Structures are given as structure tokens and as C-alpha cells.
Amino acid sequence: MKLQRAIVLLAVIVLSATGRATTNYSFLGDVIRMNRELMGISVVCEDSVVVRIEFLLAQMLRVTLERSDYREPLLICALAEDSWDKVPLEIAESETAYMVKSSALDVEISKAPCRITVRDKQGRILNQDEPAMGMGWEGSEVRAWKTITPEEKFFGLGIKVGDVNKRGREWVMWNSDLPGYDWKIDPLYQSIPFFMGIRGGQAYGIYFNNSYRTRFNMGAGNFRYYSFSAEQGALDYFFIAGPKFSDVIERYTELTGRMPLPPLWSLGYQQCRWSYYPDKEVLALAQTFRDKKIPADVIYLDIHHMDGYRVFTWDPQRFSDPAVMLGQLSEMGFKVVTIVDPGVKVDTTYRVAREGLSGNHFVHYPDGETYVGEVWPGRSYFPDFSKPEARVWWGGLVGEWLMGGVSGIWNDMNEPSVWGQAFPTETVFNDDGRITSHKKIHNLYGLLMAQATYEGALCALPNRRPFILTRAGFAGEQRYTSVWTGDNVANEEHLALGIRMIQSQSLSGVPFVGTDVGGFIGTPSPELFARWIQVGALSPLFRTHTEYGSSEQEPWSFGENIEEISRKFISLRYQLLPYFYSLFYQASKSGAPLWRPMFWSDQDDERTYEYAYQHQFLVGDHLLAAPVTKIGQNFQKVYLPRGSWLDWNTEQKYSGNSTVIVDAPLDRLPLLLREGAIIPSQDVMQYTNEKPIDRLFVDIFPSERESHFEFYEDDGESFDYQKGNYRLTVWSCRLSGTVIEFSQSRAHDNYYVARRDLVLRVHAVATPPVDVLVDGRPLLGGLQYDEQKKLVTVTLHDDRSERKVIIRLPS
């Protein structure tokens, strides 16, 4: 039979004339027929196996393998968009293959055997099934094999250790609580089965839509292929073409969702430890920040705020009147975020336990018995967040908690974690009525908890942006929550590792991410804490945290010198808030991360991928940070891609495509502006909404190519921006010979801004200007030139929508 011949040819590996080895995998066989579908085609292969190829965009297609002997519903909870416009396609057939062509991609499906190759319009292969294996299965396991080229690189996969380039290792998706992890440990807290690759200079992405334990072999142990597999569930993946990394992220986040704008206060400095108590200590902590003029917006309360670790309760001795404490903190400009774990204490007198049992909201065994595990409260139940009614119930508890004065929720231990690290896989979950086991829901648990929390917050306070922080998660979590990298260690290896992990998570569609500044386990040296604060000041999430029983880890805990350095860089964070908030706006519109690896804008520059430069990164498109991660080091080696660069600390100019050494004493964070930079900032505030901005600074490093920046403003707390209540200002700048031209326009202007000054600081101006014209008229006053810094400062009233400033230099 033809099928038997295919199995012999594909499944048998001939090792020698006298011996051979066989594999138990069944591989996709020959195509029997093709059917046209609404969004693409399906091909029926031997043994009644069907492969569906659907175009959702001209640059994005979905490939799904269906077996008659094993069926399971496709995963939907990670996908934000399920309705797509029909993509115009050209479908053709030859003797050996079918062709499906969009305006961007050509997909070839060979007939014998069925294998898929994706090319761009220039004929370059972007993705290709491995010829001998392609797609296959063994029992419930499914797997796809892809050809790999010598130069191919891979990025993303969520919070993973190691190199930013994930090639050469096998990575597992199974959310795991592993405190004190090192560079070899995998898996960790998050499972995001999405990666981006670059092949022949063209970026692409693959999202594997499967929540079971999955493996991504990115060329580990071989030079022939990379593969992705799952122990159960469907072989269902999305291929996303670039050609740029930014294109891939934009389309991936169209598929899985983009983060909404966070509350502005969540961009400020956040202070946490396990644990601050009682209430007097919390208030004293807040007052110390204000007395020392160290800006801060958030104080966290860890598990000791609870009554016997019962979630949604206050310890009556430690926090006798939480409403009064929360009110006093609010008057001082502080928000409070409390930890909420999923474990619900087994206690018949405890309201949450009683309601969960009566509503059948907890996870149970196949025989119906409610599952009981052990975690902080002792014997505990666990909500079934895959059940819609349970999410509504939990969301109601969240809403009540927030209505009581708490501002945000910190979801921890939601891998889910239990003592013994073995949540039973046979436990039963509702799965939106489909009924399934923990094997499918394990990796989804943190995502679904975040969803329940976010939706509960919205239900209670529909016009207040929620702030959620989660440890565990899955693809699509960016719609609900921010993330941190888990229980790290206070050493220089983890400082560097955290920088790489933030980049990996950022390349996985999750922009709002940070580390525990200073390290969670252990106590950092004063120097290490200072260096970590510098990194934190530029991180999307800026939170200091440490473990129970550790030494104090506040900005003033390491002596006067480190206190001053901490104040300096926390203040820098607040100065740059207009820039950060505008980058968050970009993330909400396109999925673009705040932290961008060096190759983000220079993907053809091989040096940007080198490990030596993976600890420098771009914040936005034009601000390069190169933090020091080694104790005792007071300089930094920095690679500068194409273009001109300016050291923001010293005003020294550098040419790109070069490596430079910059001074980096302990009180200095190497920061460089790329030509074309337009960076907004403000005066230091002690908390984000302390007062309106009365001086808006714009630092400019002009380029001969016109550059642009979109500056975004709204009220920072409501969803009124979705109704059009915001201001979007577009700034442009260009250096043309001896003329620097800066222009301002309002792309959208439906948000009131108090009267303020606009202060333009134009860098790298070698000689004093001849004159300055503002809207065609000579500037009278408001002009300064610093000969040493080569800096021109122009001060205007920011009272017009349209502005044009021309700075004329000597010929």
C-alpha cells in the first residue's frame, strides 16, 4: 500500500547495512485532494489527516493539523481577535504542489509528501518544513520540524534565562516556581509559546497556539532543524512575516492583544518587601520618602498584611484600621498594591472559602472531591479560573477590595504553586464548559487569574485603569497585566540576566515588565544596589523588592552616597515620565516594546546580536542605555550601530559602526542619543500627579534626515482617552546645512493642558546661532547658548498648536 511505503521511507532511519533504528512518530503523508476554504485551503492527506492553511492577513497565516483519531478544541483564550477580513488570494495547482499567494507571501504545499514552504515576494524562503519530517505525531504528542540555516537566530519565548538569542537550547513551557534560578534553569514562571526568527535578513514569527507542556528545540543538539511540540492538544500555529521585527510584533499583538494604557502612577517608583507591617511602619516608610525627597508612588503589602494568609482580609492587630491608613497614604501621594495569591484557606468560618465551595468555584478531582493543596495559608482550595462563573465571583472580591481603597493587585504564586511543586495533573477544570485536566490549564492559570482580576476591577470601577502585576502568565497576558521576572538573586549575574530577560519578554508581546531591583534573595552590596537602581530607572516596571528577613533595601539603606545616587536616578525616572508615557502609548497602539534590543532597528548589523552587547538596549528608538553590570567597573564598552551618537552625560559625539569606551563612575549611567533623537522630559516630581507640568523640556539631537516623535498626554487614570479625550503632539526636526528646523503640530487636541513653557534643548551645536525665528519672527529673549556643552536652549510659551522654530547657524 502507498501509506505503508510512505511509513517505511519516512519513519525508518537506515544506520548501516546490518542495523537500523525506527521512530514511533507518524509523519504527514501525501496529499489526496485540496479544498478551497473561505480564508484559504485545506488539504486532505493520507489516513484522513487534514491540514488547514488560512490567511488572516496578507502577512499572517494559520496552519492547523486535524487527525481523525485525536481531536481537541483549538485554544481560544490567548487570542484577542477572532474575526478577520477575507484576504485576497491566488490559488493554483501544479503537478507537484499547490500554491496559495497573498500580496505579501507565496505558500507552497508540496503533494508528496505534504510539506509547507513560505516565501516572500522576492522568492526568499522564510519558513520551511523539514523535508523528511514536516509535521508528525506520536499518540497525543504533536510536533512540527522546520529547516534551519546556519545564521538563523531566535528571540522571545517569554521570561527565559540564557542568551537573548535562544538558538542552541531546548526550551520548555510549563509555568514553574523556581526561586533563585540561574542561567541554566528552565522552565520558569511564564509560558509564551511565541518566538521571532531572522533568516536571510528577514524577520518572522511563529505563535504555537497550545497550552499543554510544550518544547521548543531551537537547534539544540543538531544542525538540521528546529522544532516545536506539545504533549497534547492541537498542532495549531500562526506564521507571521516581517520583514522587520517591529512588523512581526505589531501583527502578533493584533492577534493576541495589546496592553491598554496603564495608570500613570504605575510608571513611578514602587517600593516593596516581604513584608512591611504594621501600619505604623508603612506610614513611616512613606514619610521617609517624602522627607528625603526621593520620589515614589507605590508601596506594596506582602502576605503579612492578611489575617492568617486569608486573601482579601486585613490582619486586625497589624492593620487595625486599614481605611484610615490608606487615606493617609493617599494624602501623601501614595498608592497601595496588595498581594493576592490564589490559595484560599480551608476554613468554614472564612467567607471566601464558603462562597467558593457553595458556588463550586474551586478545582476538584475527577470524582468530584474538591482539591486541597498546601501553600501559605496551610491547607488551601484553588479557584478554577477557567470557569466563567468563578472568574466573575473572584472579580467581585477584587472589586470590593479595590473599593476599600487599595489601588492595585499583585498576583503571586499563580503558576499555580503548592508546597511540593506538584499540583496534581489529574485535577479537573471547567475550561469554559469543555471540562479538561490540569495538563491543559496549568500554563493558562496565571493568565486566567489576571483576566478575572482585571475584569473584576473594571466592573467595580469602570472608568479607572486597573493595575495588575503577575508572576505567572501565558500569551495574551499583556491585555490584563504587567509582569516581573520572579524571585531573582542579589548578585551581579542576576543584574545582567534580568536585562536579558526583560528584552526577551519585551520581544514576546509583553511590554510592561521589570525585575526585583536589588535582588529578591540575599542582600546586594551598596555598589550593586546603585547599579540596579540605574537599570530600574529605565525599566518599564520600576520596583524594588526583597525577601523576608533580609536587610533593609530602601534607597537610603546603603549609606549617604548610595542614597544620593538612588535619589538621582529615581528622579531621572520622574523627569523622563513624559517620554515613558508616550512609549507606553506606542505600545498600546502597535505592541512596540519600550525596551528594544540593539538589533531592533539594525537587524542587518551582525554585531548587534553579539552577547557582549546584549546588556545595552534602546529605550524607544533613539535613547541607548549601556548600564554597568560588573562590580568594581567604572567604564563601559559600548557598540554603536550606524549613524551619529551623542553621549548625553558628556555631550561628546561619536560615529556609528564603532565600539567606544565611555566613563561610568558609580554615579553615572551611560546614556547615548542617536541622531534624530527627540526626548521629552519634565522637572522632578515627588509623585506622578503632584502638580501639572509647568516646564516641558525637549532634548533634540538633530539629524540630516527628518525625525519625528509623538508626545502623548491624557488624564493618566481614566479610560476617557478611548473616547478621544487626549492630546497627541507631533514634533519634527531636521538639520539642513546651517539651519536647524523644529516644528510642532497637534495630531489630536482634545485634552486640556495647563499653561506651561516649552524648553527646547538642541545638542551638538558647534557655534552660537546667528538668530532664531519662531513662527517667522525673531525670538526676543529666551535664547541661551552653552559653549562648553555646545547646547542651544530656546524657551517658548507652549500656547499654540502649531509651532515652527528655525535656528540659523554661521555659514
Side-chain angles (χ1 to χ4, degrees):
M1 293 175 64
K2 189 175 182 182
L3 177 59
Q4 291 175 326
R5 291 197 304 271
I7 292 174
V8 170
L9 288 172
L10 296 172
V12 177
I13 303 172
V14 179
L15 298 178
S16 67
T18 59
R20 66 184 184 180
T22 61
T23 175
N24 291 323
Y25 281 109
S26 298
F27 299 110
L28 190 60
D30 293 353
V31 176
I32 296 173
R33 67 180 183 276
M34 182 271 286
N35 300 312
R36 292 174 181 255
E37 306 282 353
L38 178 65
M39 305 295 285
I41 68 168
S42 63
V43 292
V44 180
C45 302
E46 295 172 314
D47 209 23
S48 301
V49 178
V50 177
V51 177
R52 299 188 185 277
I53 301 170
E54 301 174 307
F55 273 82
L56 309 185
L57 300 170
Q59 307 87 355
M60 179 165 65
L61 58 108
R62 184 177 195 173
V63 178
T64 308
L65 184 144
E66 299 175 357
R67 295 158 49 197
S68 59
D69 62 335
Y70 180 84
R71 290 186 181 275
E72 183 165 335
L74 300 181
L75 188 66
I76 59 175
C77 64
L79 306 180
E81 183 63 62
D82 58 5
S83 178
W84 301 83
D85 293 335
K86 186 176 180 180
V87 177
L89 298 174
E90 177 186 339
I91 301 173
E93 180 181 2
S94 70
E95 184 177 342
T96 59
Y98 299 100
M99 292 295 298
V100 184
K101 299 182 179 181
S102 71
S103 60
L105 298 174
D106 294 346
V107 180
E108 176 185 332
I109 303 98
S110 63
K111 296 180 177 179
C114 180
R115 299 291 182 266
I116 299 172
T117 301
V118 182
R119 294 181 174 87
D120 65 13
K121 286 302 181 179
Q122 288 69 47
R124 294 172 295 209
I125 293 176
L126 303 177
N127 193 251
Q128 182 180 47
D129 284 351
E130 206 284 330
M133 295 175 282
M135 290 183 275
W137 57 92
E138 182 180 4
S140 63
E141 181 192 344
V142 291
R143 189 171 178 182
W145 290 263
K146 301 289 185 178
T147 60
I148 192 170
T149 62
E151 81 287 348
E152 204 158 358
K153 304 173 185 69
F154 306 105
F155 309 96
L157 296 175
I159 290 177
K160 296 291 185 184
V161 297
D163 201 300
V164 175
N165 180 4
K166 300 306 178 189
R167 180 161 180 163
R169 285 187 62 173
E170 182 170 86
W171 304 95
V172 177
M173 300 293 163
W174 188 254
N175 291 353
S176 302
D177 176 12
L178 294 172
Y181 53 86
D182 62 27
W183 66 273
K184 302 183 294 295
I185 294 295
D186 186 70
L188 282 175
Y189 308 98
Q190 298 257 323
S191 294
I192 301 184
F194 165 74
F195 68 90
M196 291 192 289
I198 185 163
R199 179 173 182 153
Q202 309 300 298
Y204 67 87
I206 289 179
Y207 166 60
F208 183 22
N209 189 41
N210 188 307
S211 66
Y212 287 91
R213 184 189 290 266
T214 56
R215 296 179 182 275
F216 288 77
N217 182 318
M218 313 313 286
N222 82 97
F223 300 98
R224 179 175 175 174
Y225 65 80
Y226 71 89
S227 69
F228 46 94
S229 63
E231 293 183 356
Q232 288 182 237
L235 181 47
D236 177 38
Y237 71 90
F238 297 77
F239 176 82
I240 308 167
K244 298 184 294 185
F245 288 111
S246 57
D247 299 325
V248 177
I249 284 289
E250 183 169 4
R251 290 162 193 148
Y252 169 70
T253 55
E254 184 175 357
L255 176 68
T256 61
R258 298 185 180 121
M259 67 168 294
L261 274 171
L264 180 60
W265 60 260
S266 66
L267 276 58
Y269 178 69
Q270 306 185 17
Q271 185 67 46
C272 184
R273 76 164 292 120
W274 175 22
S275 290
Y276 290 120
Y277 66 90
D279 47 12
K280 292 180 180 178
E281 180 182 332
V282 178
L283 291 168
L285 173 72
Q287 190 60 54
T288 304
F289 273 102
R290 298 297 178 245
D291 290 344
K292 290 181 174 290
K293 301 296 182 185
I294 299 176
D297 268 80
V298 184
I299 294 175
Y300 281 72
L301 300 181
D302 210 318
I303 56 176
H304 289 96
H305 82 274
M306 293 182 274
D307 181 8
Y309 305 123
R310 295 170 178 85
V311 291
F312 304 114
T313 68
W314 294 96
D315 184 290
Q317 280 73 46
R318 293 168 177 163
F319 297 90
S320 59
D321 198 336
V324 170
M325 178 195 70
L326 293 171
Q328 291 173 323
L329 289 169
S330 179
E331 290 175 2
M332 299 166 67
F334 280 95
K335 303 293 191 294
V336 171
V337 175
T338 63
I339 195 168
V340 177
D341 293 343
V344 174
K345 186 175 180 64
V346 175
D347 179 357
T348 56
T349 68
Y350 175 32
R351 172 200 163 193
V352 177
R354 291 199 313 271
E355 289 183 357
L357 288 171
S358 64
N360 194 28
H361 295 318
F362 294 134
V363 177
H364 58 270
Y365 288 106
D367 63 1
E369 178 183 329
T370 302
Y371 166 67
V372 176
E374 188 174 16
V375 72
W376 294 116
R379 290 165 59 85
S380 302
Y381 305 122
F382 289 81
D384 179 1
F385 293 113
S386 74
K387 181 180 179 181
E389 296 83 358
R391 292 198 297 271
V392 171
W393 166 68
W394 190 266
L397 297 171
V398 169
E400 289 179 19
W401 193 244
L402 295 175
M403 291 289 285
V406 169
S407 296
I409 301 294
W410 168 23
N411 287 336
D412 199 5
M413 305 293 287
N414 56 342
E415 289 72 29
S417 180
V418 292
W419 302 158
Q421 298 292 331
F423 202 105
T425 56
E426 71 275 10
T427 49
V428 176
F429 288 75
N430 180 269
D431 193 16
D432 288 318
R434 288 180 286 270
I435 312 302
T436 191
S437 77
H438 184 70
K439 293 179 182 179
K440 177 181 179 182
I441 302 300
H442 177 88
N443 284 337
L444 299 175
Y445 197 83
L447 167 69
L448 296 172
M449 184 180 185
Q451 178 185 351
T453 304
Y454 186 88
E455 291 174 349
L458 276 186
C459 186
L461 298 162
N463 201 30
R464 193 177 90 179
R465 302 176 202 173
F467 173 74
I468 317 296
L469 177 64
T470 188
R471 190 169 73 180
F474 191 78
E477 66 184 344
Q478 64 272 9
R479 305 195 300 267
Y480 311 115
T481 185
S482 60
V483 174
W484 92 104
T485 60
D487 296 343
N488 58 1
V489 180
N491 60 39
E492 63 181 30
E493 290 79 11
H494 267 259
L495 171 57
L497 177 59
I499 293 172
R500 303 196 300 274
M501 294 173 79
I502 290 177
Q503 291 178 76
S504 291
Q505 184 78 345
S506 297
L507 293 174
S508 304
V510 185
F512 203 0
V513 57
T515 68
D516 283 345
V517 170
F520 176 72
I521 297 173
T523 300
S525 69
E527 181 179 351
L528 178 63
F529 185 81
R531 292 302 192 189
W532 219 316
I533 280 284
Q534 293 168 2
V535 173
L538 296 181
S539 299
L541 179 76
F542 186 12
R543 184 183 82 145
T544 295
H545 188 33
T546 187
E547 65 180 333
Y548 184 70
S550 67
S551 302
E552 292 183 353
Q553 198 160 296
E554 290 74 47
W556 54 83
S557 302
F558 301 91
E560 292 183 3
N561 183 41
I562 304 305
E563 177 182 329
E564 183 55 39
I565 292 172
S566 297
R567 181 183 295 105
K568 173 182 177 180
F569 287 99
I570 295 173
S571 296
L572 174 65
R573 169 59 164 235
Y574 281 76
Q575 289 172 300
L576 288 174
L577 279 175
Y579 183 59
F580 273 91
Y581 197 51
S582 297
L583 294 181
F584 271 100
Y585 167 75
Q586 290 181 22
S588 74
K589 302 299 288 186
S590 70
L594 280 75
W595 272 29
R596 301 166 189 182
M598 295 305 300
F599 52 79
W600 179 263
S601 299
D602 297 274
Q603 64 189 48
D604 295 328
D605 185 344
E606 284 298 318
R607 295 200 68 184
T608 62
Y609 300 97
E610 293 180 12
Y611 179 83
Y613 307 116
Q614 288 185 4
H615 305 106
Q616 59 181 65
F617 51 88
L618 292 164
V619 183
D621 284 332
H622 290 92
L623 176 58
L624 188 158
V628 172
T629 61
K630 295 290 187 182
I631 299 302
Q633 182 174 312
N634 57 11
F635 64 91
Q636 185 64 297
K637 182 180 179 181
V638 185
Y639 175 67
L640 303 175
R642 60 182 170 81
S644 295
W645 297 82
L646 181 80
D647 187 322
W648 207 0
N649 292 298
T650 66
E651 302 292 333
Q652 183 171 346
K653 284 182 66 175
Y654 297 99
S655 297
N657 292 320
S658 64
T659 301
V660 300
I661 304 296
V662 299
D663 288 334
L666 188 56
D667 65 347
R668 183 180 298 177
L669 168 63
L671 294 172
L672 296 103
L673 301 178
R674 191 173 205 162
E675 60 179 339
I678 303 174
I679 311 288
S681 62
Q682 64 185 21
D683 288 309
V684 176
M685 296 186 187
Q686 293 306 298
Y687 49 97
T688 50
N689 66 339
E690 181 184 17
K691 57 185 178 181
I693 300 174
D694 54 12
R695 288 195 301 174
L696 180 63
F697 301 94
V698 184
D699 282 274
I700 302 164
F701 179 28
S703 168
E704 292 180 358
R705 297 181 60 183
E706 186 172 74
S707 59
H708 308 271
F709 186 81
E710 292 185 337
F711 172 51
Y712 178 82
E713 298 172 278
D714 64 17
D715 64 24
E717 59 183 9
S718 77
F719 286 97
D720 289 350
Y721 72 91
Q722 296 179 348
K723 303 173 185 177
N725 296 329
Y726 64 91
R727 174 184 278 188
L728 186 64
T729 302
V730 179
W731 292 317
S732 302
C733 187
R734 183 181 179 186
L735 170 64
S736 180
T738 58
V739 175
I740 300 170
E741 183 174 318
F742 172 87
S743 63
Q744 171 180 287
S745 62
R746 306 276 194 229
H748 188 90
D749 195 6
N750 194 31
Y751 174 69
Y752 171 75
V753 174
R755 182 180 177 89
R756 66 190 178 198
D757 286 338
L758 179 65
V759 183
L760 308 180
R761 298 189 293 212
V762 186
H763 296 260
V765 181
T767 57
V770 173
D771 59 15
V772 175
L773 301 179
V774 178
D775 301 327
R777 297 180 178 181
L779 176 66
L780 301 176
L783 173 65
Q784 294 178 312
Y785 179 72
D786 188 319
E787 185 173 357
Q788 182 177 1
K789 293 183 176 181
K790 310 300 181 187
L791 181 70
V792 172
T793 302
V794 177
T795 301
L796 314 166
H797 293 306
D798 188 18
D799 54 2
R800 297 187 184 180
S801 296
E802 307 292 328
R803 281 287 196 191
K804 181 171 286 188
V805 178
I806 295 177
I807 302 173
R808 294 195 295 203
L809 306 174
S811 300

